[in-house]
Amino acid sequence: MFQEQARQGKRPLVFHRWGGLGNHRYQIGFSGDTISTWESLAFQPWFTATAANVGYAYWSHDIGGHSPGAIDPELYTRWVQYGVFSPIFRTHTTKNPEAERRIWAYPEPYSDILRASFRLRAELKPYLYTEARKTYDTGIAFNRPLYYDWPEENDAYTMPNEYIFGDNMVVAPIVQPVDPKTGLVQATLWVPPGQWVERSSGKTYTGPTKITQYFSLHQTPMLIKAGAIMPLEEAVSGQSAEPQRVIEIWPTSQKEKTSYNIYEDNGQGVEYQKGAYGFITVSAQQTNTEKRVEIAPLSGHFKGMPALRHYALRFPAAMPPARILVNGHVLVPTPFAGQVGWYYEGNSLTTHVVLPAQTAHTPLSVVLVYDANHPAQVPTQGFTGRLTRLIEAYHALAPFERMQQAPDELVRAAQTGSRLGYAPETAKAELEAFSAQAALAEQVVKADAVQLQAAVQAEKKSLFFGQKHKTLEQKQKIKDTLLQAIDQALTLVHDAQ
């Protein structure tokens, strides 16, 4: 089969069981028939990263485990989330019909989270492809232990489930269930030397240090190097749809210039071994008045390279600019995603920029301009993570909507991101007022919780619809669910402070 693929002009590939040291010459290894347990999942991040020590860069696991059959939805969700940040993303199981691996067959919220995980993996393709080229050139796996990059740091040897995933990312997947009372799980991350942004919260940390925070079911602990340039690909539906190249530029408080060389070839055959490939160099630099991004023309050549380039840029965890210039010309704001122009997405503090099509040999200069009314640096205090908790608290209170609506103070604080999207020019004022609004939301939710708990204990009719036809066991189950929802809302709104 390997030789047949080569004769057909394809890039030959071998997928095999582990055959001992030296097996890394055959690209992808299968790690065996694992059992679907939390213990199996917890072993895999360390196992996969340390395989770099024997030159083995491409372990492929049965995501979800192989046997015996049915798997807890939360365990499967966490396994898929780990799979997104592993070398090979492949679900598999035994022939047991209860061993479900179709993501759409799971109930909510798991199905939506699983779908988002698959889309994120698709988005990461250009980054993974570039990092895979580095592995090919150097022999050093892009999925590797922390001590490869920081051998002098003692903590780099003591965090077995935290690992490097390409030069710009450090990941520590969740490998244990959430607390059923709060819906959160606590995790500790080691922040390596330098500046890093924790992706789910948007907080910037300077390492080396350790941080401990809570994560909900849809979150994966992840550090992005400050100033990182991440080549991504917008996930699309349908084989005929043309994905758009996205370049994500993360903020840094330093004025240093960062750069990244994006690798490309035609994805077929082995002509890349004879020089048929190219690199696109992207550089970025930030000051108090502007953020400048330069995209160089592709250097190199390969068969089938596109004549036109369609770029989109994303600037997460950052303030909105006053205006944007592309090759010296003003780019007009647009309210519509996907159209040429720019807009601001408030929940993640992200400026989205869609550039006009350019020839492959045209250099691009994109400048985000800031002024007194649109400052480049405003302390966001982990705004993204705190806002996420407020939105989660609002949804936790949904079972009580028949009795009363969520408090206005919580709604107002949770809608801060939406207001920023509609009016980016208010970002400074909104962010400065956010902490006070979040604190007020917690006070009101605490006061409401006392009334809600009393209503549950009294079996208020609006909360126990059709109670005449319910057994004592059914009523107790409803009570437990409602009281748990109150506990979750209290925990979530507190974690937003």
Side-chain angles (χ1 to χ4, degrees):
M1 179 62 73
F2 186 88
Q3 297 300 330
E4 180 64 23
Q5 290 175 335
R7 282 193 293 270
Q8 293 174 359
K10 298 177 180 178
R11 188 167 297 174
L13 180 70
V14 171
F15 175 63
H16 62 94
R17 286 181 180 268
W18 171 244
L21 293 176
N23 234 211
H24 59 280
R25 72 189 69 182
Y26 309 112
Q27 295 100 322
I28 301 176
F30 164 53
S31 60
D33 296 339
T34 52
I35 305 299
S36 300
T37 63
W38 286 100
E39 290 76 15
S40 288
L41 171 59
F43 180 68
Q44 288 190 356
W46 173 85
F47 172 82
T48 307
T50 56
N53 294 338
V54 293
Y56 209 79
Y58 292 98
W59 271 121
S60 174
H61 303 295
D62 290 351
I63 292 174
H66 183 74
S67 60
I71 181 174
D72 174 68
E74 183 184 354
L75 173 57
Y76 184 53
T77 299
R78 290 301 192 189
W79 218 313
V80 167
Q81 288 173 335
Y82 162 62
V84 170
F85 301 101
S86 66
I88 304 296
F89 188 54
R90 179 186 61 85
T91 63
H92 182 64
T93 186
T94 185
K95 290 183 178 180
N96 188 329
E98 294 182 350
E100 184 59 75
R101 293 295 178 269
R102 299 170 300 170
I103 61 176
W104 56 88
Y106 282 85
E108 298 301 345
Y110 306 103
S111 182
D112 275 354
I113 297 171
L114 290 165
R115 186 185 300 274
S117 298
F118 271 69
R119 292 181 69 87
L120 176 56
R121 177 68 179 204
E123 281 193 353
L124 285 168
K125 190 175 80 171
Y127 176 70
L128 295 175
Y129 206 59
T130 298
E131 295 299 319
R133 175 70 201 210
K134 294 178 185 178
T135 296
Y136 172 79
D137 288 335
T138 66
I140 299 174
F142 64 85
N143 190 150
R144 58 188 183 268
L146 297 169
Y147 48 75
Y148 270 55
D149 289 37
W150 300 283
E152 303 301 321
E153 297 289 337
N154 290 334
D155 285 328
Y157 299 85
T158 63
M159 306 295 288
N161 275 15
E162 184 175 338
Y163 56 88
I164 298 162
F165 195 63
D167 288 346
N168 287 336
M169 301 172 69
V170 169
V171 185
I174 298 294
V175 293
Q176 64 193 78
V178 300
D179 182 338
K181 185 176 179 180
T182 66
L184 301 175
V185 61
Q186 191 179 66
T188 298
L189 285 81
W190 178 66
V191 181
Q195 278 196 331
W196 298 81
V197 182
E198 199 290 302
R199 190 174 187 265
S200 66
S201 67
K203 288 183 181 179
T204 298
Y205 296 94
T206 299
T209 188
K210 283 186 178 180
I211 60 172
T212 299
Q213 67 183 61
Y214 289 95
F215 296 87
S216 56
L217 184 61
H218 70 274
Q219 295 175 322
T220 298
M222 184 191 322
L223 298 168
I224 308 291
K225 189 178 293 183
I229 297 169
M230 300 282 296
L232 306 172
E233 189 172 88
E234 188 173 295
V236 295
S237 300
Q239 294 182 351
S240 61
E242 182 69 23
Q244 185 174 51
R245 174 59 58 84
V246 177
I247 301 174
E248 198 169 73
I249 297 98
W250 284 80
T252 175
S253 61
Q254 302 169 6
K255 297 180 181 180
E256 65 188 44
K257 187 175 183 179
T258 59
S259 64
Y260 190 84
N261 294 321
I262 305 171
Y263 173 74
E264 291 188 355
D265 60 33
N266 69 0
Q268 296 293 326
V270 293
E271 293 303 309
Y272 69 92
Q273 297 176 356
K274 304 173 184 177
Y277 59 83
F279 285 96
I280 298 171
T281 298
V282 181
S283 60
Q285 191 166 19
Q286 180 176 324
T287 68
N288 291 330
T289 57
E290 69 176 31
K291 184 178 294 184
R292 181 178 295 271
V293 178
E294 306 286 346
I295 305 176
L298 184 139
S299 61
H301 187 274
F302 55 89
K303 184 178 180 180
M305 59 183 289
L308 291 177
R309 297 279 172 175
H310 298 84
Y311 288 112
L313 306 182
R314 291 202 302 237
F315 300 87
M319 297 294 289
R323 62 186 183 279
I324 296 178
L325 306 177
V326 179
N327 286 351
H329 301 285
V330 174
L331 187 68
V332 179
T334 175
F336 303 108
Q339 289 190 355
V340 172
W342 71 275
Y343 67 95
Y344 194 65
E345 193 274 301
N347 283 2
S348 60
L349 302 182
T350 299
T351 300
H352 293 259
V353 182
V354 178
L355 301 177
Q358 305 284 341
T359 66
H361 299 290
T362 301
L364 275 168
S365 174
V366 180
V367 181
L368 280 64
V369 181
Y370 300 91
D371 58 27
N373 296 320
H374 304 81
Q377 300 289 342
V378 170
T380 59
Q381 300 169 310
F383 170 82
T384 300
R386 298 169 69 198
L387 181 67
T388 297
R389 290 290 179 263
L390 292 172
I391 294 172
E392 290 172 336
Y394 171 81
H395 288 300
L397 293 173
F400 297 94
E401 287 183 347
R402 280 202 185 106
M403 179 180 139
Q404 68 180 48
Q405 298 293 319
D408 290 343
E409 293 81 0
L410 174 61
V411 173
R412 176 168 178 77
Q415 289 180 340
T416 302
S418 297
R419 293 194 299 274
L420 287 173
Y422 288 120
E425 66 276 7
T426 66
K428 183 175 183 294
E430 287 279 9
L431 291 172
E432 289 174 344
F434 179 70
S435 289
Q437 290 180 2
L440 181 59
E442 182 182 23
Q443 293 176 18
V444 177
V445 170
K446 280 183 175 179
D448 276 13
V450 176
Q451 300 176 22
L452 295 176
Q453 288 165 341
V456 172
Q457 297 298 345
E459 297 183 6
K460 191 166 182 177
K461 186 177 180 180
S462 57
L463 298 177
F464 292 79
F465 188 73
Q467 61 180 320
K468 288 190 298 184
H469 307 289
K470 288 183 169 61
T471 65
L472 290 175
E473 185 179 350
Q474 289 172 327
K475 286 183 180 179
Q476 187 59 50
K477 187 175 181 180
I478 293 173
K479 271 188 179 181
D480 292 343
T481 300
L482 292 172
L483 291 173
Q484 185 181 70
I486 296 170
D487 286 339
Q488 287 190 358
L490 288 169
T491 300
L492 292 165
V493 78
H494 180 70
D495 201 44
Q497 304 310 309

